[in-house]
Amino acid sequence: MEFLRYVVYFFFWILFSASGFGFFLLLRDSLFKLGVVLRFNPWLVRGIDRWGIFVFGIIWVIFIFWVEGYLRNAVPEQKLWSRIARVLISLTLFGLILLGIQGLFLLLP
């Protein structure tokens, strides 16, 4: 039974890591679009884009390690499902905010 919980934890860790990667790419795209909409200098927009890759990549790696430890420690404590739900709710809210921001860019000329 314990083995099955570790398989579930590993599955959700991979799922959350992949969705976190997608969200950070979407956030980088939003920053790029914001620079274009605000008519920043093209060199500044490129700099924001390149630094966005670096900074959001570091944040994503930190997120991967944090989620892995958070879920792995939940298995022996038998709190796996509640922690999966917390991470899922957080990622869902973050994703909805990002999609809302992307929707605003569709409304702008």
Side-chain angles (χ1 to χ4, degrees), residues 29-40 45 105 108:
D29 183 56
S30 296
L31 281 178
F32 180 82
K33 287 179 181 177
L34 181 65
V36 171
V37 167
L38 295 177
R39 298 175 193 248
F40 287 158
V45 173
F105 288 122
L108 295 174

Side-chain angles (χ1 to χ4, degrees), residues 5-91:
R5 283 187 279 188
Y6 278 102
V7 169
V8 169
Y9 127 73
F10 188 71
F11 172 77
F12 278 99
W13 175 60
I14 295 293
L15 183 72
F16 293 152
S17 297
S19 64
F21 180 70
F23 289 153
F24 288 126
L25 286 178
L26 194 60
L27 184 59
R28 179 186 151 253
D29 183 56
S30 296
L31 281 178
F32 180 82
K33 287 179 181 177
L34 181 65
V36 171
V37 167
L38 295 177
R39 298 175 193 248
F40 287 158
N41 181 341
W43 288 99
L44 180 62
V45 173
R46 180 179 165 93
I48 291 171
D49 182 49
R50 297 298 171 216
W51 275 98
I53 293 170
F54 177 70
V55 171
F56 294 140
I58 289 173
I59 292 171
W60 178 64
V61 169
I62 291 169
F63 171 77
I64 287 172
F65 286 121
W66 176 79
V67 167
E68 192 274 333
Y70 188 66
L71 294 179
R72 182 176 30 87
N73 290 330
V75 172
E77 297 173 7
Q78 298 189 4
K79 296 180 180 179
L80 182 62
W81 292 110
S82 65
R83 289 192 180 181
I84 286 173
R86 286 180 187 167
V87 174
L88 184 62
I89 289 169
S90 300
L91 284 177

